[in-house]
Amino acid sequence: MNKKSMLTVAGLGLAQLMISQLANAQNQDSLQLKDVVISATKNDQKQSQTGKVVTIISREVLERSNGKSLPELISEQAGIIVAGSSSNPGLNKSVFFRGAGSAYAVVLIDGIVQNDPSGNGGAFDLRLISIDQIDHIEILRGGQSTIYGSDAVAGVINIITKKGGPKGNTIYGVASAGSYETYKGTIGLNGGVEGFSYNINYTHAKTDGISEAATPVGSTATFDKDGFKTDALNANFGIKLDNHFSVNPFVRYYYGNYKFDGGAFTDANNYSILKNFAAGTNARYEFATGKVTLNYSFENTRNDAHSQYPSINEGRVSLLDLFYNQKLGNKLDLLVGIDNRVMKLSSATNKPETNIFAAYGSLFLHDLSIFNLEVGGRYNKHEQYGENYTYSVTPSINIIKEIKLFGTVSTAFKVPTLNMLFGQFGANLGLKPEKSQNYEAGVNFSFADDKFSLRIAGYKRDLTDAILYAYPNGYINQVSQKTKGFEVEPAVKFSVFNINGYYAYVEGNEFNFVDNAVADYLFRRPKHTFGITAGAQATRNLYVSANFRYFGKRTDGNFTTYTVDNLPAYKLLNAYAEYALAKKRVKLFFDAKNILNEKYNEIIGYNSLGFNFNTGVIFNIH
């Protein structure tokens, strides 16, 4: 860090120390894992009542991750690879969930599906939301199309944003600076009065970054750095009209200016402007034994790329999701709902549009002696391809308090994108949805009030009618793909220490454009990955932790030589320290992590550039 950065952080820290005596401590007590309520199932279940494989990234973990981005944090979870998460921050982030491709997982924000119809995959860009704006995260593994429809083939990531408090007003924020001329600042205001709460925050981030391109062997050229500048605004409100009826509108805006190069060994002054706007509401009416929930959102995403091959991609999606929960006694719950999505490709000359309507329902039998069961189904009607159906059956058995067996048999699907149906290159209106048959089983052990826990889960996924681009004919349904694997997740808490680890194995086949055939390997997804995070509350005010991850050998396509190359394994080591001041009203943190340069990793793989440092201050003022 240069002198200017150090002075900036020191000044910020001093300013916060001066006002820290005005702050009140936040309550960070956490519930036991089995008692945490999961909203992503749309039935507010406890983990002990469901057979789904669920991971909760708590508020406490997020508050100790201020030196990280959301893709970095997500990539620390078992079975999830986020390509580019430890590389140049402006690099596109692709989520590979349990060996599936990068567009086979759904991202939710406050339970509402996020989508980008302007892209070929339609996946939500994890760069669009900062950790500073998040309260906690729920991750559901396995096929979830019965509840969330298209794309929920391998899993769901539900991001719960920060909300307003019950009384008074709080100013909060984060200010940090680090290597590569990196600066980040978040300022927020939340609070509430009788019947009204709010949370408004703004985040600005900037970095010079690193070069996206590798310098050719023997060259003495100096390639420029490829950084980014982003601004994000998040606002949500809670309006309680009476004891039964509440309305929760939200608005989000994101702007990003990202630099990128012209190829693996080609420096260039390319850049792209990414803009995302989303607005909508959640409304809920509760009565004695049930509730009605309405989710509505409108989202517009525009990516304007300036390069040798300029392009503008813009898409819009409107989502309406109405569902009803009813308790049928103490042990049986009913969920029924309808879902309508309108997607439009605004950047195309003909502005194509499609619509998918769905009706779904689930029954939840819970705490019947040692048995829990969820059974659900979904009907979908697409404007182009017609109808399809999905189902899900999820039993679990609590053999004793400390041991639970679980499993799921389900189907899932992914609809063809607007580019595949109407785009300029190889469009095909006859495409069918991609379909998967999913199997999952496992066991969860928990002893000494969750101080010692172990979860083991195995899965198998068979994907049919996979869509591929068959030159020169265009997009077609042709391929069958199979994936299987397992995950082992131990955790230990004792005294002031907590240790969490995982080992994940995955293998499968998929179509690749190098061999132009289905091959018995998965590009960019190693068979073996494992990680461990160890933390300690060293003193009342000092918390320290370290995270180590290993990614095994994998393959990737070299589209210069049109060969399949083997890439070596690599390791990442991160360290974090946090010191609380003024009764934890102000915290200073220091984060150090490996930074990699992918440099178009399909050509030369990952290269470690050493450690990236971030240091800053977190504050709350009441």
Side-chain angles (χ1 to χ4, degrees):
M1 185 185 301
N2 63 24
K3 183 176 180 181
K4 178 182 175 182
S5 301
M6 295 178 67
L7 289 173
T8 300
V9 176
L12 288 167
L14 179 61
Q16 297 318 314
L17 286 171
M18 293 172 63
I19 60 175
S20 63
Q21 297 301 320
L22 302 174
N24 291 322
Q26 283 192 326
N27 182 9
Q28 294 184 349
D29 293 339
S30 58
L31 295 172
Q32 294 182 0
L33 187 64
K34 61 188 177 185
D35 295 324
V36 174
V37 175
I38 308 160
S39 62
T41 63
K42 290 188 177 179
N43 195 48
D44 294 341
Q45 296 170 278
K46 295 179 181 179
Q47 286 214 41
S48 59
Q49 297 174 331
T50 179
K52 294 183 182 296
V53 179
V54 183
T55 297
I56 305 294
I57 303 177
S58 67
R59 177 187 302 176
E60 187 177 31
V61 171
L62 281 155
E63 289 179 348
R64 291 171 174 170
S65 303
N66 281 286
K68 301 174 184 176
S69 65
L70 179 58
E72 286 175 312
L73 184 61
I74 295 295
S75 70
E76 293 179 2
Q77 313 308 311
I80 304 178
I81 304 291
V82 183
S85 62
S86 298
S87 188
N88 195 5
L91 190 70
N92 289 336
K93 313 301 178 187
S94 300
V95 181
F96 298 102
F97 212 128
R98 279 190 164 179
S102 61
Y104 293 84
V106 164
V107 174
L108 317 172
I109 296 182
D110 294 326
I112 300 177
V113 173
Q114 307 299 299
N115 193 267
D116 177 13
S118 68
N120 263 348
F124 177 77
D125 192 333
L126 289 178
R127 296 176 299 179
L128 297 182
I129 187 164
S130 171
I131 276 182
D132 310 324
Q133 300 173 358
I134 302 172
D135 182 82
H136 66 280
I137 301 171
E138 303 170 343
I139 299 175
L140 275 67
R141 292 172 171 82
Q144 307 295 334
S145 282
T146 296
I147 298 178
Y148 289 108
S150 177
D151 301 8
V153 172
V156 166
I157 300 170
N158 186 24
I159 299 167
I160 313 298
T161 59
K162 291 180 177 178
K163 305 295 191 299
K167 289 183 180 180
N169 300 297
T170 300
I171 298 174
Y172 64 92
V174 177
S176 66
S179 307
Y180 306 103
E181 296 292 322
T182 300
Y183 304 93
K184 181 181 177 182
T186 293
I187 186 71
L189 178 66
N190 66 19
V193 294
E194 186 70 27
F196 177 76
S197 63
Y198 67 94
N199 180 69
I200 303 171
N201 56 61
Y202 166 74
T203 297
H204 173 78
K206 172 262 178 189
T207 183
D208 285 353
I210 56 180
S211 174
E212 292 263 287
T215 306
V217 176
S219 173
T220 59
T222 301
F223 285 2
D224 67 349
K225 296 178 179 179
D226 299 301
F228 73 84
K229 181 174 66 175
T230 64
D231 295 278
L233 176 68
N234 178 67
N236 54 62
F237 307 90
I239 305 168
K240 194 169 183 178
L241 300 177
D242 58 35
N243 291 332
H244 303 282
F245 189 33
S246 61
V247 180
N248 308 283
F250 65 88
V251 177
R252 294 191 303 273
Y253 178 76
Y254 180 91
Y255 170 91
N257 185 329
Y258 300 99
K259 296 181 180 180
F260 63 97
D261 281 323
F265 302 101
T266 306
D267 194 21
N269 293 318
N270 301 332
Y271 68 96
S272 64
I273 303 295
L274 176 62
K275 297 179 182 179
N276 175 268
F277 171 80
T281 190
N282 161 271
R284 181 177 299 170
Y285 186 84
E286 300 184 36
F287 42 95
T289 58
K291 61 182 177 181
V292 177
T293 303
L294 170 69
N295 288 328
Y296 171 76
S297 73
F298 168 81
E299 187 175 2
N300 186 94
T301 304
R302 177 186 174 92
N303 196 333
D304 185 2
H306 297 257
S307 68
Q308 184 180 357
Y309 306 101
S311 64
I312 297 178
N313 295 303
E314 183 175 6
R316 299 178 181 178
V317 58
S318 297
L319 167 71
L320 178 68
D321 185 16
L322 175 67
F323 57 95
Y324 169 66
N325 298 90
Q326 176 65 51
K327 290 187 177 298
L328 305 174
N330 294 326
K331 300 184 183 298
L332 185 63
D333 300 336
L334 171 69
L335 165 70
V336 292
I338 57 173
D339 177 326
N340 190 73
R341 306 177 196 185
V342 178
M343 293 167 282
K344 186 173 184 178
L345 195 60
S346 305
S347 55
T349 54
N350 55 345
K351 293 182 170 44
E353 183 177 307
T354 192
N355 177 85
I356 182 168
F357 171 82
Y360 59 91
S362 292
L363 280 171
F364 303 86
L365 179 65
H366 55 86
D367 301 318
L368 184 62
S369 182
I370 62 173
F371 188 66
N372 303 289
L373 176 66
E374 177 184 339
V375 179
R378 185 184 187 96
Y379 163 78
N380 307 280
K381 184 173 178 59
H382 190 276
E383 191 171 350
Q384 271 67 46
Y385 69 71
E387 301 174 336
N388 70 296
Y389 306 85
T390 63
Y391 70 87
S392 177
V393 181
T394 304
S396 65
I397 301 173
N398 296 301
I399 298 177
I400 58 176
K401 180 182 177 182
E402 293 82 7
I403 302 176
K404 180 173 75 173
L405 300 176
F406 57 85
T408 296
V409 179
S410 66
T411 55
F413 71 104
K414 178 176 175 56
V415 302
T417 66
L418 289 172
N419 275 311
M420 295 172 179
L421 293 169
F422 302 101
Q424 299 179 29
F425 306 103
N428 180 2
L429 280 171
L431 290 172
K432 298 180 292 183
E434 301 179 70
K435 303 172 186 176
S436 73
Q437 179 74 51
N438 312 296
Y439 306 92
E440 183 174 62
V443 59
N444 191 85
F445 302 93
S446 177
F447 301 99
D449 291 330
D450 282 342
K451 288 183 173 63
F452 304 92
S453 64
L454 173 66
R455 181 168 65 192
I456 303 172
Y459 60 89
K460 184 176 183 291
R461 182 176 60 251
D462 297 336
L463 184 72
T464 58
D465 292 326
I467 299 173
L468 61 94
Y469 189 87
Y471 181 82
N473 298 321
Y475 290 103
I476 59 172
N477 291 98
Q478 182 175 339
V479 173
S480 296
Q481 301 175 357
K482 298 181 183 296
T483 307
K484 60 182 178 181
F486 65 90
E487 299 150 358
V488 181
E489 299 176 83
V492 179
K493 301 176 184 177
F494 60 95
S495 184
V496 298
F497 301 97
N498 59 83
I499 302 173
N500 298 278
Y502 71 85
Y503 168 76
Y505 173 86
V506 63
E507 67 175 32
N509 59 29
E510 69 175 357
F511 182 87
N512 70 74
F513 295 101
V514 176
D515 296 335
N516 283 316
V518 175
D520 291 327
Y521 41 76
L522 302 171
F523 275 0
R524 308 187 78 175
R525 281 148 282 174
K527 286 186 176 182
H528 307 277
T529 59
F530 68 81
I532 184 168
T533 299
Q537 192 69 49
T539 69
R540 181 179 179 183
N541 293 335
L542 177 63
Y543 177 83
V544 294
S545 68
N547 172 268
F548 174 82
R549 284 175 289 155
Y550 169 85
F551 298 83
K553 297 178 181 178
R554 65 230 178 276
T555 59
D556 209 338
N558 186 328
F559 291 98
T560 298
T561 60
Y562 278 87
T563 58
V564 175
D565 292 351
N566 294 312
L567 303 179
Y570 66 99
K571 310 173 188 69
L572 295 174
L573 177 63
N574 302 336
Y576 181 85
E578 177 183 282
Y579 189 80
L581 302 170
K583 297 182 181 180
K584 299 184 180 180
R585 300 158 189 157
V586 174
K587 298 178 183 178
L588 305 177
F589 73 86
F590 178 79
D591 179 79
K593 55 179 175 284
N594 274 135
I595 186 168
L596 301 171
N597 193 348
E598 287 194 57
K599 294 181 177 176
Y600 291 80
N601 93 311
E602 69 272 17
I603 302 292
I604 59 173
Y606 294 92
N607 293 302
S608 177
L609 297 179
F611 278 97
N612 181 28
F613 299 95
N614 275 281
T615 185
V617 60
I618 311 163
F619 63 90
N620 291 272
I621 309 168
H622 293 267

